[in-house]
Amino acid sequence: MAKILEVKNLRTTFFTHLGEVQAVRGISFDLEEGDILGIVGESGSGKSVTSLSIMGLVDEPGRIVEGEVLFEGLDLTKLDQKEMSNYRGNEISMIFQDPMTSINPAFTVGNQLREVIMTHTGMNKEQAHQRALELLTMVGIPEPETRIKNHPYQFSGGMRQRALISMAIACNPKLLIADEPTTALDVTIQAQILELMRDLKTKINTSIILITHDLGVISEICNKVIVMYGGMIMEKADIISLFDNPQHPYTRGLMLSVPRNVTGKKARLIPIEGSPPDLMAPPSGCPFSPRCQHAMEICLKKAAPLFKISDTQEASCWLHHPDAPEVKGFVKVAGEK
Amino acid sequence: MRNPEFEYVDSSRKESKEQIRKSLTYWKDAWRRLKKNRLAMVGMFGVILIILFGVVGPWFMPYSYSDQNNNFANIPPRLEIYSIGNNEYVYLSKQYNLILVSSKGELITKLTRTNMDVLNKIYVYTYDGEDIVVDYSYRARDNDDGIDITVSYKGLTSEYPAKTVSNKTYRLGSDNLGRDLLTRVMYGARISLTVAFVATIVNLVIGVTYGAISGLEGGLVDDIMMRIVDVINSIPLVLYVILLMVIINNRGLWTIIITLGTVYWVGMARLVRGQVLGLKEQEYVLAARTIGVPKAKIITRHLIPNAMGPIIVSMTMMIPSAVFTESFLSFIGLGISAPQASWGTLANDALPGLSTYPYQLFIPAFAIALTMLSFNFLGDGLRSALDPRLRKG
Amino acid sequence: MFGYYLKRIFSAIVTLFIIATLTFFMMRAIPGGPFTREKALPDQIIAQLNAKYNLDDPVIVQYLNYMKGIATFNFGPSFRELGLTVNDLIRQGLPGSMKVGIVAVLMILVFGIPMGIISALKQNKPIDYTVMVLATIGVTVPSFVVATLYIYLISSRVSWIPITGLSNPIAFIGPAIALSGYSLSYVARLTRSSMLEVLRQDYIRTARANGLSETRVIGKHALKNALIPVVTYVGPMIAAILTGSFVVERIFAINGIGRYFVESVSNRDYTVIIGMTVFYAGLYIFMVLLVDIAYSFIDPRIKLGKRTGD
C-alpha cells in the first residue's frame, strides 16, 4: 500500500519567555492509504502538537525545529503559508476537539461551508450551495435546507461537530486529522460521531489520524496505534498487537488504568503514579522513567530506541535490550531497529 | 557479568527527578507576574511618586498655595536675564515689569517704572537712584542681529541676554497672581487625588454592595436592580454630575466627591454582579449555604475575596477617570473654588494667558497626563497579572 | 424578532420619562427659586415673574405642564435670556455640534479601527509599539489640554488656520482632533485587544485548517467577531460625541449646544439646564437605541434577547 504520509524525526518546540518547551521530540511514523491511525497519550504528551505540526498550524511562539512531514512525498514543512493553504481543507483536513468554540459564531453554517467549498473548488455560489446541502445530508444533519441558514448557536454540540466534519470533508481530503473529536461530547453523541467517521472513511476513501486520550475510542475505530508520552513515541503497533500484547510499561499502565470488561471478572483499576514530565526541562533519558516501575540506570540517561518486536509492533523501552533483566511479558529483541 | 546500566534504580532517585514547582498563592503569583511587567512597574513607580509629590511635597515648599506676590506675577521657570554690571541682572517680564535677578536666578525685587515712552517703545525704570533704560523697539523692526531688547544702565548697554537661568524663586514659575506654581500643583495633586481616591472608594462600596446583593439574590430582586442600572446607564453621566453640582451649589471638595462617588458606581455594580453570578454556583458557596451561613457573611467571606482581582483592576482604572472628570468639571468652572485649586482649575486659570504664559497650562496638564498614564500602565499590568487565564506561565 | 425592537423602543421611552421626572424634581429641590440673585429682587417682582412663568401653580400642575411640553418638544422659555426659548437655543446649537461631531466620529472610525487591527496583526513589532504609545497618550491627555495645546501651537505659528468658529473646513481640524482624541485612542486599543483575543480563538484555527487565505481569515472571520465589542463601545460614544463636547465647543468658540449648556450652567438658567439635559438624554438614548438595533444585525445571538458579555 502507498504511504500517504511520512513523518520523519519531527521536533516542535515552543519558545516561550519562560524557556523552551519541547512539545514534540523527534518522532517518526508513516501512514498508509486507508489507515485509521490512533495517536493516544495523556494531555501534554505532544499528540495535538504533532497534528498541528502536520497541518502547519503551530502558532507562535512554537516552531518546527527539525524533521520532515512528507505528504505523498512532498515535504509540507518547506511550503509557505500560502502554498500550504492549498492543501489545508482540500487534501488534508482537520477537525478539532471543542465544537462549541471551533465554529465561527458570527456566520451561518451555510456561509462557512460554502466558503470552504468555493475556496478549493472554484464552484460558484449556487453550485457550492448544492454541494453544501449534500454534505450536510451526508454528515446526518436533518432538514439541511433549514439548517444551512442557521447560525452555530442554534446547533447543539453534536450537530456542530457534524457541521465541522462536513467542512473538513467538503473537498474529499486524502487525509483527515481528528483531534479529540468526541472528547467534548456526550457519550451517546460520541458513538454517533465515531460511527459517522467510520462511515465517511469508506464513502470518501480517506485516511484518518485520530488523536485521543481514550483507549476505548482507539479500540473501536483504529487499525494502528501510536502511544505518545512526553513528546516521544513509546510504542507503535497495529491494534491487535497493542491490546493483546503491550510492549511498553506505559502502554500497560494505560490499559490497567482504564475500566474494561464490565461484566466479566473484577479487575482493579491501577493508576500510574506520578505526573507527566515538565517539558520545559524534560528528563534526559526516557520521559517515562520517573514513573516507571522497571526503571533502570540507562533509562535515566538515555531514551531507548524503538525496538522492533514484530512486523507490526515497535516499542521504545530498554527492557527489550538483551542485557535487561527479565520481566514477564516483555520480549527481548536481539538488535535495535 | 551483568551490564550495570541495566540495574534497577531505587525509587528515591526516581522521585528526585520529578519537577517540583514552588506553589504560590494567587496574590504571590500575581505579584510575581506584575513585577516582571516593566510598564506596570513604571506605572506603579509613577503612582507612588505622584502621591509623595502631593502628600509630602508641600512640606518642603516655602510657600502655601495661597501666598501671592503681585510683583512677581507670571514669571516663567526659565529667565533670559540681561547684565547691568556688578554681577547684577534684570529680567523683563512679558508685562514689561523689570525685575532684578541675581546671577543664580533668584528674583530680588521689582523695579519701579518711572517713564513709559510707548511711541518710541522705550521704558525707563529706576534702580539705586539711577535709570535703567529698556528699548524694545527692536521687536517691531526687522533686524538681522537678533537683538530683542537693549538694557542700558550706568552707561553700559546690553544688547543680548547675558544668560538664561532657571527661576530659583519659583521653580516652575508663578501664576497671574504671583503664586508659586509648583506649590499650587502640589496642593492640586492633593485635591485631585483626594477627590479621586475618596470618590473611587465611595463607588467601590456602593458598587460592590449593590452588585453582590443583586447577583446573590437573583430572581426578581436581581431583575429590578439591574433594570435600575440599565436606566442609569442610558443617561450620559456627565450631565448628571453637572446637574448635581448645580443643585448642591457649594463648590467644596466634598461636593465633588459626593457627586462623583454617587454617579459612577454602575460599572462596578455590573462587574461584581457578573462575578458573583459565576462564583455563587461554586461548590464552596453552595456548601456554605447548606450549612446555613448568613448571606452577608457569604458575601464578605466567600464572594468578595474571590472577586477581588477584577475589582482591583477596575478600581485602578476608576481613579484616573475620576481625576479626569474632576479636572474636566473644574475646567468648565464647576470645580473647587479659589484659592484652593485642583489640576483642572489650574489649567482653566491658565487659559486667558495661554499664548503668553503657556507654561501655566503645561505644568498642570503634564501632571494630569502623568497621573493618567501611571494608573493606566499599572491597571493594564494588574489586569494581565490577575487574569486567571494567564496564570500558568 | 420584531418584539425585540418594540421592547427596546418601549424601554427607551420609559428611561426618558424617568430622566425627565428626575430632572424636574431635582431642579425643584434647589433652595431658592430660579430668580434668586446675589442682589435680592423685591418680593413683588419675584411674584410677578413666578406668575408669568406659572411657577405659582401647584408643583403637580407644573410637572404635568412640563411633561406635556417635553412630549411636544417644547422645552419652555429661558429665564435669563428674554424672548429666547430652549428650543431656539437647541435649533441654533445643534447644527454646529453635529457638524463637528460627524467629522470626529468619521475620524475615529477611519483611523481608530484600522490602527487597532494593524497593531494586533503586528503584535510586538515597532508599528504596534508606535500605535500603542500614541493611543496611550491619547487616552491620558484630557481633551481640554489637546484643544488648548492646538490653539497655542496654531495661533502663534500658522496664521491662516482659523482657531475659532467653523468658518471653513480647515477650522474643523482642531475641534475634531480634540473631540476625537480620546475615543480614537480608546477604539484603537479596544480593537487591538479584541482582535488579539479573537485571533486566539479555536474557530480561527478552524478557518486556517480549512485552507482559507490569511486575508479571508483576518478580514472576514476575525474582523466580524473582533468588531462586536468595538461596536458596543462605539454606539454610546457616537451619541456622546454627536451631542457635542462642552469643553471643545467652549474652547473653540463653536456655537453648539454643549457651549450653551455650559453657559446655562454658569448662569444658573434653570429651564435651559433642564431642557438641555432632557434633550441631551433623549438624543443619547435615541442614538443608543439606533446602535442597538444595528447591533442585532452584527451579532445574531442578540435577537434571542441574550446580550453577550452580560
Side-chain angles (χ1 to χ4, degrees):
Chain A
M1 263 197 276
K3 280 179 187 169
I4 188 150
L5 183 79
E6 291 168 80
V7 174
K8 291 185 177 165
N9 193 26
L10 180 71
R11 196 175 276 279
T12 304
T13 303
F14 288 83
F15 298 88
T16 71
H17 58 281
L18 295 169
E20 293 180 15
V21 177
Q22 303 171 21
V24 175
R25 303 199 282 151
I27 63 165
S28 306
F29 63 89
D30 301 338
L31 185 73
E32 280 166 14
E33 234 169 67
D35 271 351
I36 303 188
L37 171 71
I39 301 184
V40 69
E42 51 198 279
S43 36
S45 61
K47 53 191 190 322
S48 287
V49 178
T50 304
S51 63
L52 291 174
S53 301
I54 296 170
M55 293 295 284
L57 285 174
V58 179
D59 276 331
E60 284 289 314
R63 219 165 60 222
I64 297 175
V65 288
E66 208 186 321
E68 294 178 341
V69 175
L70 302 176
F71 178 74
E72 297 185 318
L74 179 81
D75 188 358
L76 297 180
T77 62
K78 299 279 188 299
L79 299 184
D80 64 25
Q81 286 296 323
K82 206 171 164 197
E83 293 165 327
M84 193 62 211
S85 66
N86 291 330
Y87 283 87
R88 289 199 286 250
N90 191 12
E91 310 256 343
I92 312 176
S93 281
M94 185 157 179
I95 44 185
F96 296 94
Q97 177 170 354
D98 189 352
M100 300 315 275
T101 58
S102 293
I103 191 162
N104 195 328
F107 300 97
T108 62
V109 171
N111 179 317
Q112 299 184 54
L113 191 47
R114 281 196 301 272
E115 186 180 24
V116 178
I117 297 166
M118 284 157 78
T119 302
H120 294 296
T121 61
M123 286 186 189
N124 65 27
K125 201 177 162 189
E126 189 44 44
Q127 293 164 322
H129 188 76
Q130 287 311 318
R131 171 75 180 143
L133 288 173
E134 268 173 45
L135 285 164
L136 290 178
T137 317
M138 203 195 289
V139 297
I141 288 180
E143 299 176 56
E145 285 86 358
T146 334
R147 290 313 218 157
I148 199 167
K149 295 190 206 100
N150 283 172
H151 278 89
Y153 72 90
Q154 290 158 304
F155 275 42
S156 69
M159 294 279 267
R160 286 191 195 197
Q161 194 61 293
R162 285 174 193 269
L164 281 162
I165 291 174
S166 75
M167 285 178 211
I169 61 164
C171 305
N172 298 326
K174 292 178 182 152
L175 171 60
L176 179 65
I177 303 176
D179 185 356
E180 307 244 14
T182 58
T183 309
L185 303 172
D186 287 344
V187 182
T188 47
I189 312 288
Q190 282 188 14
Q192 290 175 14
I193 295 287
L194 286 181
E195 183 58 43
L196 171 65
M197 286 182 60
R198 203 183 353 234
D199 197 36
L200 288 173
K201 180 190 138 21
T202 46
K203 268 193 199 152
I204 63 169
N205 192 25
T206 179
S207 311
I208 297 179
I209 297 180
L210 179 73
I211 289 162
T212 179
H213 62 267
D214 187 344
L215 279 175
V217 170
I218 297 268
S219 69
E220 216 159 297
I221 158 168
C222 299
N223 65 336
K224 286 182 185 168
V225 191
I226 288 176
V227 179
M228 280 188 79
Y229 186 83
M232 296 174 131
I233 291 179
M234 297 290 102
E235 183 164 4
K236 53 181 163 185
D238 72 320
I239 189 93
I240 296 163
S241 315
L242 188 94
F243 279 91
D244 281 359
N245 184 23
Q247 288 297 312
H248 195 284
Y250 176 62
T251 318
R252 294 196 163 191
L254 270 187
M255 286 180 184
L256 291 172
S257 62
V258 173
R260 66 212 150 112
N261 207 3
V262 186
T263 49
K265 61 173 192 238
K266 284 182 189 165
R268 252 184 192 286
L269 288 187
I270 302 168
I272 305 176
E273 299 291 337
S275 50
D278 183 349
L279 293 175
M280 203 102 71
S284 45
C286 170
F288 188 60
S289 59
R291 298 169 78 181
C292 180
Q293 51 174 331
H294 306 296
M296 299 172 287
E297 289 291 339
I298 191 163
C299 300
L300 304 186
K301 289 180 193 142
K302 201 174 153 200
L306 278 167
F307 289 92
K308 195 172 166 98
I309 313 295
S310 71
D311 280 349
T312 55
Q313 191 167 20
E314 293 168 29
S316 159
C317 179
W318 286 114
L319 286 176
H320 303 296
H321 194 275
D323 288 349
E326 206 66 46
V327 176
K328 187 168 165 268
F330 283 87
V331 182
K332 289 281 177 63
V333 180
E336 298 169 10
K337 182 197 169 187
Chain B
M1 180 67 204
R2 286 196 64 115
N3 185 341
E5 292 280 359
F6 288 87
E7 292 297 330
Y8 285 131
V9 288
D10 61 89
S11 55
S12 64
R13 279 190 52 211
K14 280 193 293 185
E15 260 156 39
S16 66
K17 283 264 168 187
E18 254 179 68
Q19 269 275 320
I20 297 161
R21 210 180 281 172
K22 242 196 303 175
S23 77
L24 291 170
T25 66
Y26 179 62
W27 296 107
K28 276 188 198 154
D29 187 50
W31 172 239
R32 183 181 63 88
R33 261 178 298 138
L34 188 65
K35 269 196 299 194
K36 251 187 243 156
N37 185 337
R38 203 175 304 157
L39 224 50
M41 291 321 276
V42 169
M44 197 163 89
F45 183 71
V47 168
I48 294 172
L49 209 70
I50 291 160
I51 294 174
L52 283 181
F53 179 76
V55 174
V56 182
W59 300 342
F60 296 99
M61 300 308 291
Y63 317 96
S64 96
Y65 62 90
S66 55
D67 285 349
Q68 36 179 292
N69 182 347
N70 279 321
N71 288 337
F72 294 153
N74 292 325
I75 310 294
R78 298 283 291 173
L79 310 170
E80 280 191 344
I81 53 177
Y82 291 79
S83 170
I84 53 168
N86 201 17
N87 204 19
E88 287 179 309
Y89 299 86
V90 290
Y91 168 74
L92 183 70
S93 81
K94 295 270 168 65
Q95 292 164 315
Y96 295 100
N97 290 324
L98 200 64
I99 289 158
L100 193 67
V101 182
S102 78
S103 68
K104 279 190 225 134
E106 291 142 342
L107 308 182
I108 297 168
T109 177
K110 184 174 122 178
L111 301 174
T112 324
R113 187 158 55 205
T114 52
N115 191 11
M116 303 168 55
D117 184 349
V118 181
L119 212 60
N120 292 319
K121 301 189 165 56
I122 292 171
Y123 283 2
V124 183
Y125 304 81
T126 181
Y127 172 52
D128 223 4
E130 302 237 9
D131 284 349
I132 301 182
V133 181
V134 174
D135 180 353
Y136 63 96
S137 57
Y138 299 89
R139 283 184 180 173
R141 282 185 244 151
D142 287 328
N143 65 72
D144 301 330
D145 320 330
I147 296 175
D148 184 32
I149 56 167
T150 62
V151 177
S152 317
Y153 181 63
K154 291 185 178 169
L156 193 89
T157 300
S158 306
E159 291 180 328
Y160 299 100
K163 54 183 171 181
T164 307
V165 293
S166 337
N167 185 338
K168 292 284 182 328
T169 309
Y170 303 121
R171 294 282 167 165
L172 294 181
S174 59
D175 71 359
N176 60 343
L177 294 174
R179 294 177 291 201
D180 180 37
L181 212 55
L182 178 58
T183 312
R184 283 179 69 73
V185 172
M186 282 173 176
Y187 277 96
R190 279 189 179 184
I191 290 181
S192 292
L193 291 179
T194 309
V195 170
F197 276 102
V198 181
T200 301
I201 289 170
V202 175
N203 274 317
L204 182 77
V205 172
I206 301 179
V208 169
T209 317
Y210 194 97
I213 292 175
S214 175
L216 192 64
E217 285 294 328
L220 187 65
V221 177
D222 181 39
D223 264 0
I224 293 171
M225 287 176 90
M226 280 301 114
R227 271 297 87 71
I228 294 173
V229 162
D230 278 350
V231 170
I232 298 177
N233 220 30
S234 53
I235 303 167
L237 290 183
V238 177
L239 280 184
Y240 265 73
V241 171
I242 292 175
L243 272 187
L244 276 176
M245 294 297 291
V246 172
I247 289 166
I248 301 176
N249 200 10
N250 161 19
R251 308 252 221 87
L253 191 58
W254 285 103
T255 317
I256 298 193
I257 290 176
I258 291 168
T259 313
L260 293 185
T262 47
V263 171
Y264 286 98
W265 52 268
V266 178
M268 182 64 86
R270 282 199 155 172
L271 179 122
V272 173
R273 172 180 171 269
Q275 290 284 317
V276 168
L277 279 184
L279 287 171
K280 78 171 179 183
E281 301 303 328
Q282 303 276 319
E283 275 74 6
Y284 59 86
V285 178
L286 291 178
R289 287 177 129 183
T290 35
I291 58 169
V293 177
K295 269 195 183 125
K297 205 166 174 192
I298 290 183
I299 292 181
T300 52
R301 295 295 297 277
H302 294 289
L303 298 181
I304 292 176
N306 283 296
M308 218 52 213
I311 291 176
I312 288 182
V313 171
S314 153
M315 254 180 81
T316 347
M317 292 308 196
M318 245 177 183
I319 291 171
S321 77
V323 170
F324 208 90
T325 315
E326 186 279 325
S327 66
F328 164 80
L329 283 177
S330 299
F331 191 81
I332 60 172
L334 283 173
I336 307 286
S337 48
Q340 284 193 321
S342 74
W343 289 335
T345 331
L346 292 178
N348 192 22
D349 289 347
L351 264 196
L354 179 68
S355 52
T356 335
Y357 316 110
Y359 67 94
Q360 292 178 3
L361 173 76
F362 293 163
I363 290 161
F366 178 76
I368 296 171
L370 190 70
T371 311
M372 300 283 300
L373 211 61
S374 301
F375 276 101
N376 267 296
F377 282 159
L378 182 61
D380 280 344
L382 279 174
R383 194 197 306 276
S384 43
L386 293 171
D387 187 341
R389 281 177 305 171
L390 303 170
R391 255 203 99 180
K392 286 176 233 151
Chain C
M1 181 168 164
F2 209 65
Y4 167 74
Y5 299 129
L6 276 179
K7 224 175 103 187
R8 283 294 291 113
I9 292 169
F10 178 72
S11 82
I13 292 170
V14 171
T15 310
L16 195 58
F17 173 79
I18 295 173
I19 291 170
T21 308
L22 224 60
T23 316
F24 177 83
F25 287 104
M26 272 166 95
M27 280 298 145
R28 290 302 112 146
I30 298 173
F35 306 111
T36 313
R37 303 279 193 276
E38 283 86 52
K39 223 170 95 189
L41 294 169
D43 287 349
Q44 174 188 353
I45 292 184
I46 288 189
Q48 272 176 15
L49 283 168
N50 280 341
K52 184 177 173 217
Y53 292 116
N54 298 326
L55 292 177
D56 45 2
D57 290 340
V59 174
I60 186 71
V61 175
Q62 287 187 39
Y63 172 70
L64 289 175
N65 283 334
Y66 160 81
M67 292 307 277
K68 209 166 76 191
I70 286 176
T72 54
F73 292 102
N74 176 13
F75 295 104
S78 159
F79 286 163
R80 288 289 166 110
E81 315 249 345
L82 278 181
L84 264 187
T85 63
V86 181
N87 289 34
D88 291 336
L89 288 176
I90 292 172
R91 214 170 298 128
Q92 282 171 22
L94 199 56
S97 296
M98 289 297 246
K99 273 190 238 162
V100 181
I102 289 170
V103 176
V105 167
L106 286 179
M107 277 175 64
I108 292 164
L109 299 180
V110 170
F111 295 113
I113 293 176
M115 270 165 74
I117 293 172
I118 290 168
S119 204
L121 296 181
K122 303 278 176 201
Q123 197 193 1
N124 298 334
K125 303 252 167 63
I127 185 157
D128 177 30
Y129 290 127
T130 315
V131 170
M132 279 307 106
V133 166
L134 285 177
T136 309
I137 293 173
V139 294
T140 51
V141 180
S143 63
F144 62 82
V145 174
V146 176
T148 41
L149 263 182
Y150 176 85
I151 290 185
Y152 170 70
L153 291 174
I154 297 299
S155 65
S156 54
R157 286 168 185 78
V158 197
S159 56
W160 51 272
I161 296 183
I163 52 164
T164 54
L166 294 174
S167 49
N168 67 43
I170 296 167
F172 278 82
I173 296 173
I177 290 178
L179 198 51
S180 65
Y182 177 87
S183 298
L184 200 160
S185 310
Y186 193 88
V187 164
R189 280 164 59 120
L190 190 64
T191 310
R192 175 180 182 270
S193 62
S194 160
M195 194 74 185
L196 286 177
E197 177 79 30
V198 166
L199 287 177
R200 277 199 294 268
Q201 297 294 315
D202 288 345
Y203 54 78
I204 294 302
R205 201 178 48 187
T206 307
R208 292 210 173 105
N210 284 338
L212 305 185
S213 68
E214 207 52 23
T215 334
R216 277 195 97 83
V217 173
I218 306 283
K220 181 183 169 186
H221 288 259
L223 193 61
K224 193 169 173 193
N225 286 287
L227 285 184
I228 288 173
V230 178
V231 170
T232 315
Y233 170 76
V234 164
M237 178 210 82
I238 290 179
I241 283 186
L242 283 187
T243 46
S245 161
F246 316 116
V247 165
V248 171
E249 286 178 13
R250 179 172 165 228
I251 295 176
F252 287 100
I254 295 165
N255 289 323
I257 46 177
R259 190 178 167 204
Y260 294 145
F261 183 73
V262 175
E263 275 168 14
S264 72
V265 166
S266 42
N267 290 338
R268 314 270 146 172
D269 192 344
Y270 293 124
T271 41
V272 180
I273 297 178
I274 302 178
M276 287 274 185
T277 305
V278 174
F279 177 72
Y280 256 120
L283 204 56
Y284 185 85
I285 291 168
F286 178 66
M287 294 303 295
V288 173
L289 178 69
L290 279 189
V291 171
D292 260 11
I293 291 172
Y295 195 71
S296 69
F297 288 103
I298 302 177
D299 190 348
R301 278 161 297 191
I302 207 135
K303 280 174 213 140
L304 286 182
K306 266 206 293 191
R307 298 281 297 259
T308 42
D310 237 20

